[in-house]
Amino acid sequence: MSAPRARDEILGYYALGLEQGRLDEDYFPLERARTQELVLRHLAPPPGVVLDVGGGAGAYAFWLAEAGYEVHLLDPVPLHVEQAEAASRTRAAGRLASARSGDARALPFADKGADAVLMLGPLYHLTALEDRLQALREALRVLRPGGLVLAAAISRFASLVDGLRGALFDDAAFAAITERDLADGQHRNDTGNPRYFTTSFFHHPVELAEEVAGAGFALVDVFALEGPGAYLVDFARRFADPASRERLLAFLRKVETEPALIGVSPHILAVARKPR
Ligand SMILES: C[S@@+](CC[C@H](N)C(=O)[O-])C[C@H]1O[C@@H](n2cnc3c(N)ncnc32)[C@H](O)[C@@H]1O
């Protein structure tokens, strides 16, 4: 949200209400499974304080609250905060410690109070480098020494992957969007078609690593989330089959940090720690 127009476009896109339930559609269950796997691999067991910055309607916040963490969700989209608050109120267990409106660049949290910060969204909606660095520095400030940040990005090549998977290049407008994505990572969609997403920055995996380190974090690694699993044919049926799903996840683990493959993953995840 580097400029007011971009901010309005992003807020308008999410006001459509497409986010709640997204992770159950198409191949997004793979994004969720891989994100959860990487969170569990790096996060110390509960208790602990987790800040879900850009947490949307709470896709990961409720999962972590149910696991025993104290989870605070923050998101700039009023609908998302309302949805998270409403879902939290109706739960017998796994309620959020808080849900509030806010921006990753100015976190309303005290210094050194958090064990982990999830940033699964803000970095790709902050189209200017300085804004992304500011958001990462805010995460650094609120983490205790040794605390963990998990910061997601959309790959520079994500539109190419989606265009091939979904035969979207039949539309010249989508082809033009993809051309620009590949050229400079600045994703803009003025078609009015929400399928083509909204104002974003699509990172080259190397850029994500540089930004996280540049903000002062000690990088653990940059991981492919869906990896080449984004191309799995007949995804829903195969992912519902436990043996087929486990085979896919086992292969993805083998190549999750392979530099030659990371960019084909629509989403990538930087894991890093605040130096002690
Ligand atoms: C694709 S959604 C992801 C939601 C959830 N974290 C997930 O992974 O499913 C991206 C989220 O980032 C939020 N967002 C966009 N710009 C932000 C900013 N500057 N600060 C904090 N959150 C932001 C959006 O409101 C949206 O909820």
Side-chain angles (χ1 to χ4, degrees), residues 1 14 19 22-23 54-56 59-60 75-77 80 102-104 120-122 124-126:
M1 282 191 229
Y14 285 112
E19 193 53 27
R22 175 182 69 90
L23 292 172
Y60 297 101
D75 200 277
V77 174
H80 291 169
D103 190 292
L120 308 176
Y124 46 79
H125 287 308
L126 292 168

Side-chain angles (χ1 to χ4, degrees), residues 82-227:
E82 283 161 25
Q83 287 171 330
E85 279 174 335
S88 190
R89 267 196 304 275
T90 58
R91 286 179 169 248
R95 291 188 172 188
L96 302 180
S98 71
R100 72 184 88 174
S101 182
D103 190 292
R105 292 166 293 178
L107 294 179
F109 301 114
D111 296 0
K112 301 181 188 173
D115 296 286
V117 173
L118 300 188
M119 290 183 60
L120 308 176
L123 284 194
Y124 46 79
H125 287 308
L126 292 168
T127 56
L129 173 62
E130 191 42 50
D131 285 335
R132 295 193 294 279
L133 289 174
Q134 189 176 332
L136 287 164
R137 281 190 219 109
E138 274 292 86
L140 193 71
R141 177 183 66 74
V142 300
L143 280 169
R144 63 163 175 77
L148 194 69
V149 69
L150 296 110
I154 298 179
S155 160
R156 177 68 47 86
F157 310 101
S159 293
L160 180 60
V161 174
D162 276 355
L164 295 171
R165 288 179 66 253
L168 300 177
F169 295 128
D170 294 344
D171 180 355
F174 187 79
I177 291 172
T178 304
E179 296 267 359
R180 178 162 184 198
D181 290 356
L182 293 174
D184 64 6
Q186 294 292 346
H187 182 84
R188 300 291 183 274
N189 170 19
D190 56 13
T191 66
N193 181 352
R195 170 109 196 259
Y196 299 166
F197 204 41
T198 183
T199 303
S200 323
F201 176 70
F202 288 3
H203 284 79
H204 191 286
V206 171
E207 286 171 331
L208 180 62
E210 286 172 356
E211 289 177 15
V212 169
F217 281 99
L219 185 71
V220 175
D221 224 327
V222 173
F223 296 87
L225 285 178
E226 305 91 337

